[in-house]
Amino acid sequence: MRHWPLTQLTITTPDLILRVPDDTRLGELAQVAADGVVPRGAVFFPQPWASGTPAETARNVVQNHWWARGDWSEDNWRLLLAVFHEGKPIGQQNLSARDFRVTREARTGFWLGRRYQGRGLGTQMRAAALHLAFRHLGAERVTSSAFADNAASRRVSEKLGYTPNGIRRLSVEGRLVEAHDAVITATAWDHRVQQTTQVDGITECRHMFGIRAAGPPVDDILHV
Ligand SMILES: CC(C)(COP(=O)(O)OP(=O)(O)OC[C@H]1O[C@@H](n2cnc3c(N)ncnc32)[C@H](O)[C@@H]1OP(=O)(O)O)[C@@H](O)C(=O)NCCC(=O)NCCS
């Protein structure tokens, strides 16, 4: 859609295509989530969007996409991309930031339908988000956070070269949870062997990420 340039953005990896879904595709994506994302009883997200009934989970996905679009601003954006494999949506890759034009730091989140997990696709979609952030948006750091018992998510960060960035204690659904934070810098990313990733349509929507102007000169960074 001409008036929402993010719909032009397409990221292509060896096995995946990442795009903002239209409502038909969003409905299909919501069904993937309704069919199961987390093992029964597991808590992998700070908000329990995938812990209710299938219908609640699906509705949460749809509402989350609409909310992220409605709430989008250059200083506080959340890019929610549907991940397609062999033409079908299989999961979601997020890239978000606040005050990105100053901080040059973004964060990611991701999920796959259970039947698509454990095949290397999560690593591929996170790498696609890192490629977009570092190569096309000028990010300097990208962060990720995974709960202590989320071995797959933590391993994806480790495989891609993140370094540990502290542990936070949270209360989630009334339970104590430890969130393991990790970070990767543009320099660390540049030194890695990269998967083939193609980004199309970024020129049309670059301004939406608040990066029309160049980033602050190094001397302008405030050390607190
Ligand atoms: C997290 C998620 C997106 C990762 O995607 P994925 O396709 O499963 O990940 P990959 O297959 O690319 O890589 C997973 C890695 O974790 C490892 N792993 C998975 N489960 C593991 C376990 N229980 N113990 C140790 N390692 C484990 C895999 O072996 C693999 O590492 P390897 O390539 O070195 O063998 C997916 O598992 C998922 O959707 N999980 C539920 C939702 C979720 O947790 N989202 C993230 C919230 S922070």
Side-chain angles (χ1 to χ4, degrees):
M1 185 210 295
R2 189 160 68 89
H3 300 296
W4 193 247
L6 295 169
T7 53
Q8 309 295 313
L9 183 64
T10 307
I11 311 176
T12 308
T13 76
D15 295 304
L16 306 171
I17 294 177
L18 287 74
R19 300 200 56 148
V20 171
D22 63 19
D23 278 359
T24 303
R25 299 306 235 167
L26 179 55
E28 294 167 10
L29 178 67
Q31 186 58 49
V32 172
D35 292 342
V37 172
V38 294
R40 192 180 296 276
V43 176
F44 287 166
F45 299 102
Q47 290 85 27
W49 66 269
S51 306
T53 65
E56 286 167 346
T57 299
R59 199 169 58 232
N60 286 337
V61 171
V62 171
Q63 270 193 293
N64 191 237
H65 278 253
W66 288 343
W67 170 75
R69 282 176 220 175
D71 195 53
W72 187 287
S73 77
E74 291 182 1
D75 292 327
N76 187 14
W77 46 259
R78 299 167 197 85
L79 180 66
L80 274 45
L81 297 168
V83 177
F84 295 88
H85 177 58
E86 297 174 345
K88 289 186 300 193
I90 61 165
Q92 182 175 312
Q93 177 65 54
N94 304 347
L95 182 72
S96 323
R98 249 178 212 275
D99 301 320
F100 182 72
R101 83 178 85 210
V102 176
T103 67
R104 298 279 159 169
E105 180 174 290
R107 61 188 179 279
T108 60
F110 63 162
W111 61 263
L112 281 167
R114 286 201 72 184
R115 78 191 93 138
Y116 305 105
Q117 296 174 12
R119 301 195 217 160
L121 300 176
T123 305
Q124 228 178 93
M125 56 205 246
R126 175 89 73 77
L130 292 176
H131 182 91
L132 175 68
F134 288 131
R135 292 286 157 81
H136 293 274
L137 301 179
E140 292 173 2
R141 288 159 52 98
V142 177
T143 63
S144 169
S145 187
F147 293 167
D149 57 352
N150 193 344
S153 180
R154 292 178 61 190
R155 176 76 186 123
V156 168
S157 298
E158 186 182 53
K159 280 196 287 183
L160 290 172
Y162 288 65
T163 53
N165 193 30
I167 296 173
R168 286 173 294 123
R169 289 185 140 211
L170 307 175
S171 167
V172 178
E173 298 178 52
R175 282 162 50 184
L176 171 65
V177 173
E178 284 193 337
H180 287 240
D181 293 338
V183 62
I184 182 165
T185 62
T187 310
W189 180 247
D190 282 346
H191 283 94
R192 297 197 62 81
V193 177
Q194 308 283 334
Q195 70 184 15
T196 308
T197 305
Q198 187 181 323
V199 175
D200 295 301
I202 185 69
T203 310
E204 293 82 343
C205 54
R206 216 164 167 270
H207 65 281
M208 294 193 68
F209 297 92
I211 49 172
R212 265 170 299 192
V218 173
D219 288 352
D220 282 356
I221 294 174
L222 298 175
H223 294 280
V224 288

